Amino acid sequence: MYKILDTEDEVSRYAAQRLLATIAARPEAVLGLATGGTMEPVYARLVGRLQGGAVDASRLTTFNLDEYIGLAPTHPQSYRHYMERHLFARLGLPRENVHLPDGLAEDSEAACRAYSEAIRALGGLDLQLLGIGSNGHIGFNEPHTRFSCRTHVTPLSAQTRRDNGRFFSDPGEVPTHAITLGIRDILEAREIVLVATGPSKARIMAELYHSPVDEALPASALKQHPNVTILLDREAAALIPLRGQTLQPA
C-alpha cells in the first residue's frame, strides 16, 4: 500500500505511530530499524512519545539493518553511534536488547550467520523500518543482490559511496564494504514500512512504482510482501501518477 502525506513532518509522525502501535500491541516486539537522515525525525517523534509514557519500551528488542565494515562502534559515522545518539541512549534501552551487525568481527561470515539466526530465534521481526537508496537498495542490498540472501557482507556500489560521502569529512573515508541484513530476512518481517521523503527520492520512487519484481531493483522485492506500507511525502511522490489522494498501480 502506498500512503502519501503532504510533508516530511506528517510522514515522520505517521511512521513513529506505526512503531508505537506495534510496541503497544506486543511489548516484547522485535523491531528492524534503519538509519539515515530520513529516519532522524521518525526517531525524534518516537522518543518524544515513549519518554512521555505513551507505551512501555523496556521489553523491546531491536535489530539494525546494517553496519560498515571496519568502523568501530564509537566512530561518529558508524551506525551504532547513530543509533545511540538518536534512540538507544535517549530511551535507556537495555544493551542486551539492541543489536547491530559487527563491522569489526574477525569472522564476518560467521557473524552474518549468527545475526540472521538470532532474529529467527526470537520469532522474526514484527516490523521492519526501511529507507531506500538512490539506486533502489534497501539496507545495503545493492542492485542484483539475490532476493534469497540472508545477512551478508556486501561491497558498496560507487553510487552508494558517493551518496554517503556527505556524512564523512573526507568522502574517500567511506568504507568499501558493509554487513547488511539480507532481503530474505527483510521479507520475513510481519510488517514492513518504507519511508521516503524529499525531492531527491522522487526518481527512484517512480522507478520502484513502475518496476516489475526484479533483482536489478532491490526494493522491488517488497512487492512480494503482503503487508507493506510505502510512506511518502508529496515531494518524494512527485513523479508517481496520483489518482485523488491514493496511489493505484500503473
Side-chain angles (χ1 to χ4, degrees), residues 1 3 16 29 45 58 95 98 142 151-152 162 165 178 180 200 214-215 221 228:
M1 177 186 75
K3 186 171 184 63
R45 291 266 183 195
S58 63
R95 297 297 91 192
V98 299
E142 299 282 23
T151 304
H152 59 282
R162 281 195 297 272
T180 186
S200 66
D214 187 341
E215 289 181 349
V228 175

Side-chain angles (χ1 to χ4, degrees), residues 63 109-124 149-152 180-186 188:
F63 286 86
E109 296 301 329
C112 289
R113 289 192 298 273
Y115 200 72
S116 288
E117 289 167 3
I119 294 172
R120 295 201 302 277
L122 291 172
C149 275
R150 292 202 181 273
T151 304
H152 59 282
T180 186
L181 196 67
I183 292 176
R184 183 175 176 184
D185 299 293
I186 292 169
E188 288 176 355

Side-chain angles (χ1 to χ4, degrees), residues 4 15 54 74-75 79 91 172 174 226 245:
I4 310 301
T74 55
H75 190 287
Y79 291 136
L91 294 179
V174 180
Q245 296 300 307

Side-chain angles (χ1 to χ4, degrees), residues 203-221:
R203 183 196 60 80
I204 191 59
M205 294 314 302
E207 186 176 344
L208 174 61
Y209 181 80
H210 292 291
S211 172
V213 176
D214 187 341
E215 289 181 349
L217 182 59
S220 70

Side-chain angles (χ1 to χ4, degrees), residues 53-70:
V55 297
D56 176 15
S58 63
R59 289 183 282 162
L60 183 66
T61 298
T62 69
F63 286 86
N64 263 77
L65 279 168
D66 38 40
E67 182 58 282
Y68 288 118
I69 293 284

Side-chain angles (χ1 to χ4, degrees), residues 2-168:
Y2 286 82
K3 186 171 184 63
I4 310 301
L5 298 172
D6 284 332
T7 66
E8 180 185 33
D9 185 63
E10 291 177 73
V11 166
S12 64
R13 185 183 301 114
Y14 184 92
Q17 185 56 45
R18 288 302 314 133
L19 292 166
L20 283 165
T22 300
I23 301 167
R26 186 169 184 257
E28 67 281 10
V30 182
L31 299 182
L33 300 180
T35 55
T38 302
M39 301 303 159
E40 290 181 20
V42 175
Y43 293 143
R45 291 266 183 195
L46 181 63
V47 167
R49 293 293 306 279
L50 291 174
Q51 287 180 337
V55 297
D56 176 15
S58 63
R59 289 183 282 162
L60 183 66
T61 298
T62 69
F63 286 86
N64 263 77
L65 279 168
D66 38 40
E67 182 58 282
Y68 288 118
I69 293 284
L71 293 192
T74 55
H75 190 287
Q77 298 308 326
S78 76
Y79 291 136
R80 165 70 73 168
H81 187 270
Y82 173 104
M83 293 305 301
E84 290 289 348
R85 184 169 73 251
H86 292 291
L87 191 66
F88 299 158
R90 298 178 68 187
L91 294 179
L93 295 178
R95 297 297 91 192
E96 63 271 19
N97 287 11
V98 299
H99 307 273
L100 286 90
D102 184 358
L104 298 180
E106 290 186 9
D107 186 342
S108 57
E109 296 301 329
C112 289
R113 289 192 298 273
Y115 200 72
S116 288
E117 289 167 3
I119 294 172
R120 295 201 302 277
L122 291 172
L125 301 169
D126 291 294
L127 185 150
Q128 175 66 63
L129 184 64
L130 294 175
I132 186 170
S134 63
N135 63 359
H137 71 232
I138 48 176
F140 273 134
N141 293 287
E142 299 282 23
H144 302 289
T145 299
R146 287 179 293 114
F147 289 170
S148 60
C149 275
R150 292 202 181 273
T151 304
H152 59 282
V153 174
T154 181
L156 302 180
S157 70
Q159 181 64 56
T160 295
R161 296 185 73 236
R162 281 195 297 272
D163 290 346
N164 289 6
R166 69 187 188 277
F167 299 114
F168 290 77

